[in-house]
Amino acid sequence: MIPAYVPNSAAAVFGGGTPIDFGRTFSDGRRIFGDGKTYRGFFGGVLCGVLLGLVEIWAWSSFDLTALPHQTFLSVTLLATGALLGDLVKSFLKRRLGKGRGESWFLADQYDLVIGSFLLILLVNPQWLFENMTLPIAVWIVVMTPLLHRVVNIIGYYIGVKEVPW
């Protein structure tokens, strides 16, 4: 999950600049995504996820880490991109519900990256998902995702790349 976990944090670091929605509003009069979703953040986040995924591929083969899922360039790209697409969908839904930027949305804030990355993998490369997703890995993802999300967001808040610690 490293290629999926990294992009959200990297997007916060590299973010800023032109919003993905160009400041436009949806038919309900609210922003489509908001100022927090930028091209620089999206592409910087995906790039960081892919780069760390490539390190994971190298480590898997160099150190015979066959107990871990076997990543490919395609799988790390889909995981990283899907994570941020999941975040975009969540932001779109938050705007429709009238939630502001940075406002907490329990569970959606923690699992958007998991759902987005797995849906994209399922659409493009389902064989990888079925070959690599075991019950212990699924349980690890369900348990660790909210814990990692909280810790990383607190760190991001204290170093000044996030406005709120959630």
Side-chain angles (χ1 to χ4, degrees):
M1 286 302 290
I2 290 172
Y5 284 152
V6 168
N8 278 337
S9 299
V13 172
F14 291 107
T18 306
I20 290 175
D21 65 9
F22 293 105
R24 285 183 262 160
T25 59
F26 195 63
S27 60
D28 61 4
R30 295 183 180 114
R31 287 286 296 276
I32 296 171
F33 300 116
D35 286 335
K37 305 302 174 200
T38 66
Y39 283 102
R40 197 168 66 200
F42 184 87
F43 291 114
V46 169
L47 178 63
C48 286
V50 170
L51 290 174
L52 280 171
L54 294 175
V55 170
E56 188 177 343
I57 291 169
W58 169 80
W60 190 89
S61 61
S62 296
F63 300 105
D64 197 33
L65 301 175
T66 55
L68 298 177
H70 181 249
Q71 298 285 15
T72 64
F73 180 74
L74 179 60
S75 70
V76 300
T77 302
L78 293 172
L79 287 168
T81 304
L84 289 183
L85 289 176
D87 187 55
L88 278 176
V89 169
K90 179 202 65 186
S91 290
F92 176 80
L93 294 173
K94 281 177 82 169
R95 299 300 89 80
R96 306 298 63 81
L97 294 171
K99 292 183 175 288
R101 179 179 175 192
E103 189 175 340
S104 181
W105 189 11
F106 184 65
L107 292 181
D109 287 332
Q110 291 82 23
Y111 291 107
D112 58 338
L113 67 100
V114 174
I115 293 167
S117 60
F118 282 176
L119 280 177
L120 191 58
I121 284 258
L122 193 59
L123 289 171
V124 177
N125 191 9
Q127 181 180 350
W128 181 89
L129 187 64
F130 295 125
E131 288 175 356
N132 289 282
M133 187 52 53
T134 63
L135 183 59
I137 290 173
V139 168
W140 185 89
I141 291 168
V142 168
V143 171
M144 292 304 295
T145 296
L147 298 173
L148 290 171
H149 182 268
R150 183 74 173 134
V151 168
V152 168
N153 281 341
I154 290 170
I155 293 168
Y157 175 75
Y158 282 112
I159 65 172
V161 296
K162 288 194 56 73
E163 294 177 12
V164 292
W166 55 78

